Amino acid sequence: MLPQRITQKSARQLKIIDQPGCLYLKAQAERIDAAAAIQFKDLVRCALTQSPQQKIIDLEQVNFIDSTGLGALISLQKAQQNASKLTICSLHPQVAKVFKLTCMEEVFDIYATAEAALKAASASPAFKADED
């Protein structure tokens, strides 16, 4: 069940793609800013709590992120029960610049492409444990 402030329209801003051994979330919004960050965080948090698997957030569609959007992602990382980092992939060049300037590679595992993130997830010990 979606939290009250998440509408069906906002729920379409996040696509959950079935991938073996990991939870793969693809942001459908072009912006994660002050106007969208809370709903984005709530949507992702709902999806993350449903899976103990490796988690990948694909930001390919996002061409703008501000400090509120970064704060939402950091909050999601802090909410992780285990010590594993969230994986972020497919950053638009402008978004990648913001991540680099704010040293987000220390907070998240960041990959240039979804393929690279999925390959890394499949090689992780958590993925191997899921296969047993």
Side-chain angles (χ1 to χ4, degrees):
M1 184 169 170
L2 296 174
Q4 203 169 21
R5 64 180 157 210
I6 297 177
T7 64
Q8 290 295 356
K9 180 181 177 187
S10 65
R12 287 182 288 222
Q13 293 180 7
L14 186 70
K15 188 174 186 180
I16 300 172
I17 301 171
D18 192 25
Q19 292 289 334
C22 73
L23 179 64
Y24 182 83
L25 308 171
K26 187 167 178 98
Q28 300 297 295
E30 292 183 359
R31 300 173 65 89
I32 304 176
D33 56 13
I38 292 172
Q39 283 189 336
F40 176 78
K41 180 175 67 173
D42 287 345
L43 284 169
V44 175
R45 183 172 283 138
C46 277
L48 294 180
T49 58
Q50 297 173 13
S51 175
Q53 302 171 322
Q54 183 81 12
K55 296 150 180 105
I56 299 172
I57 301 174
D58 186 327
L59 297 180
E60 180 179 28
Q61 300 297 318
V62 178
N63 58 35
F64 178 83
I65 192 165
D66 67 6
S67 60
T68 313
L70 287 175
L73 289 170
I74 291 166
S75 173
L76 291 165
Q77 174 60 51
K78 287 183 176 181
Q80 293 300 298
Q81 301 278 328
N82 55 20
S84 69
K85 291 182 181 178
L86 288 176
T87 298
I88 307 286
C89 69
S90 306
L91 297 177
H92 183 278
Q94 288 297 100
V95 174
K97 188 182 225 180
V98 172
F99 271 64
K100 185 174 177 76
L101 287 170
T102 56
C103 300
M104 288 296 111
E105 70 278 358
E106 294 176 20
V107 179
F108 305 103
D109 289 328
I110 301 173
Y111 292 90
T113 65
E115 293 78 19
L118 289 165
K119 184 176 180 181
S122 69
S124 78
F127 178 82
K128 304 241 185 284
D130 280 350
E131 290 180 333
D132 292 339

mmCIF file of all heavy atoms in Angstrom, residues 31-35 37 64-71 98:
data_model
loop_
_atom_site.group_PDB
_atom_site.id
_atom_site.type_symbol
_atom_site.label_atom_id
_atom_site.label_comp_id
_atom_site.label_asym_id
_atom_site.label_seq_id
_atom_site.Cartn_x
_atom_site.Cartn_y
_atom_site.Cartn_z
ATOM 1 N N ARG A 31 13.301 15.460 -13.242
ATOM 2 C CA ARG A 31 13.874 16.298 -12.191
ATOM 3 C C ARG A 31 13.610 15.682 -10.823
ATOM 4 O O ARG A 31 12.525 15.195 -10.554
ATOM 5 C CB ARG A 31 13.242 17.685 -12.210
ATOM 6 C CG ARG A 31 13.430 18.434 -13.501
ATOM 7 C CD ARG A 31 12.632 19.725 -13.515
ATOM 8 N NE ARG A 31 13.079 20.686 -12.515
ATOM 9 C CZ ARG A 31 14.020 21.597 -12.694
ATOM 10 N NH1 ARG A 31 14.629 21.685 -13.844
ATOM 11 N NH2 ARG A 31 14.358 22.434 -11.719
ATOM 12 N N ILE A 32 14.626 15.720 -9.967
ATOM 13 C CA ILE A 32 14.442 15.406 -8.554
ATOM 14 C C ILE A 32 14.882 16.664 -7.817
ATOM 15 O O ILE A 32 16.058 16.873 -7.544
ATOM 16 C CB ILE A 32 15.249 14.173 -8.110
ATOM 17 C CG1 ILE A 32 14.907 12.958 -8.966
ATOM 18 C CG2 ILE A 32 14.962 13.871 -6.635
ATOM 19 C CD1 ILE A 32 15.727 11.729 -8.654
ATOM 20 N N ASP A 33 13.898 17.511 -7.582
ATOM 21 C CA ASP A 33 14.148 18.803 -6.950
ATOM 22 C C ASP A 33 13.209 18.976 -5.769
ATOM 23 O O ASP A 33 12.522 18.034 -5.371
ATOM 24 C CB ASP A 33 14.005 19.936 -7.974
ATOM 25 C CG ASP A 33 12.645 19.938 -8.669
ATOM 26 O OD1 ASP A 33 11.718 19.240 -8.202
ATOM 27 O OD2 ASP A 33 12.512 20.649 -9.678
ATOM 28 N N ALA A 34 13.179 20.175 -5.217
ATOM 29 C CA ALA A 34 12.361 20.429 -4.028
ATOM 30 C C ALA A 34 10.896 20.060 -4.248
ATOM 31 O O ALA A 34 10.229 19.593 -3.326
ATOM 32 C CB ALA A 34 12.486 21.890 -3.606
ATOM 33 N N ALA A 35 10.401 20.241 -5.460
ATOM 34 C CA ALA A 35 8.993 19.937 -5.740
ATOM 35 C C ALA A 35 8.715 18.438 -5.811
ATOM 36 O O ALA A 35 7.599 18.006 -5.573
ATOM 37 C CB ALA A 35 8.573 20.598 -7.052
ATOM 38 N N ALA A 37 11.158 15.788 -4.613
ATOM 39 C CA ALA A 37 12.036 14.935 -3.811
ATOM 40 C C ALA A 37 11.303 14.104 -2.759
ATOM 41 O O ALA A 37 11.619 12.926 -2.568
ATOM 42 C CB ALA A 37 13.125 15.771 -3.145
ATOM 43 N N PHE A 64 18.141 16.689 -13.969
ATOM 44 C CA PHE A 64 18.392 17.736 -12.977
ATOM 45 C C PHE A 64 18.152 17.178 -11.582
ATOM 46 O O PHE A 64 17.147 16.510 -11.332
ATOM 47 C CB PHE A 64 17.457 18.944 -13.191
ATOM 48 C CG PHE A 64 17.648 20.026 -12.174
ATOM 49 C CD1 PHE A 64 18.657 20.965 -12.324
ATOM 50 C CD2 PHE A 64 16.849 20.089 -11.046
ATOM 51 C CE1 PHE A 64 18.845 21.959 -11.367
ATOM 52 C CE2 PHE A 64 17.036 21.074 -10.087
ATOM 53 C CZ PHE A 64 18.038 22.012 -10.249
ATOM 54 N N ILE A 65 19.085 17.459 -10.689
ATOM 55 C CA ILE A 65 18.911 17.111 -9.278
ATOM 56 C C ILE A 65 19.476 18.260 -8.457
ATOM 57 O O ILE A 65 20.522 18.830 -8.806
ATOM 58 C CB ILE A 65 19.585 15.765 -8.931
ATOM 59 C CG1 ILE A 65 19.152 15.268 -7.553
ATOM 60 C CG2 ILE A 65 21.097 15.851 -9.046
ATOM 61 C CD1 ILE A 65 19.489 13.804 -7.287
ATOM 62 N N ASP A 66 18.756 18.649 -7.413
ATOM 63 C CA ASP A 66 19.247 19.709 -6.533
ATOM 64 C C ASP A 66 19.592 19.115 -5.173
ATOM 65 O O ASP A 66 19.562 17.889 -4.986
ATOM 66 C CB ASP A 66 18.249 20.870 -6.440
ATOM 67 C CG ASP A 66 16.950 20.515 -5.741
ATOM 68 O OD1 ASP A 66 16.818 19.397 -5.206
ATOM 69 O OD2 ASP A 66 16.050 21.384 -5.720
ATOM 70 N N SER A 67 19.902 19.982 -4.224
ATOM 71 C CA SER A 67 20.315 19.502 -2.900
ATOM 72 C C SER A 67 19.204 18.720 -2.207
ATOM 73 O O SER A 67 19.471 17.782 -1.460
ATOM 74 C CB SER A 67 20.765 20.663 -2.019
ATOM 75 O OG SER A 67 19.706 21.590 -1.847
ATOM 76 N N THR A 68 17.945 19.067 -2.490
ATOM 77 C CA THR A 68 16.833 18.328 -1.896
ATOM 78 C C THR A 68 16.785 16.912 -2.449
ATOM 79 O O THR A 68 16.531 15.957 -1.710
ATOM 80 C CB THR A 68 15.497 19.048 -2.178
ATOM 81 O OG1 THR A 68 15.639 20.430 -1.899
ATOM 82 C CG2 THR A 68 14.378 18.473 -1.346
ATOM 83 N N GLY A 69 17.029 16.778 -3.737
ATOM 84 C CA GLY A 69 17.078 15.450 -4.360
ATOM 85 C C GLY A 69 18.226 14.619 -3.825
ATOM 86 O O GLY A 69 18.069 13.434 -3.535
ATOM 87 N N LEU A 70 19.392 15.251 -3.681
ATOM 88 C CA LEU A 70 20.534 14.539 -3.094
ATOM 89 C C LEU A 70 20.220 14.123 -1.662
ATOM 90 O O LEU A 70 20.536 13.005 -1.252
ATOM 91 C CB LEU A 70 21.787 15.411 -3.108
ATOM 92 C CG LEU A 70 22.459 15.637 -4.455
ATOM 93 C CD1 LEU A 70 23.616 16.613 -4.308
ATOM 94 C CD2 LEU A 70 22.924 14.335 -5.069
ATOM 95 N N GLY A 71 19.585 15.016 -0.925
ATOM 96 C CA GLY A 71 19.202 14.690 0.453
ATOM 97 C C GLY A 71 18.257 13.507 0.512
ATOM 98 O O GLY A 71 18.359 12.657 1.411
ATOM 99 N N VAL A 98 27.028 17.057 -10.507
ATOM 100 C CA VAL A 98 26.589 17.352 -9.147
ATOM 101 C C VAL A 98 27.072 16.267 -8.190
ATOM 102 O O VAL A 98 27.576 16.561 -7.105
ATOM 103 C CB VAL A 98 25.044 17.500 -9.079
ATOM 104 C CG1 VAL A 98 24.557 17.607 -7.640
ATOM 105 C CG2 VAL A 98 24.590 18.703 -9.894
#
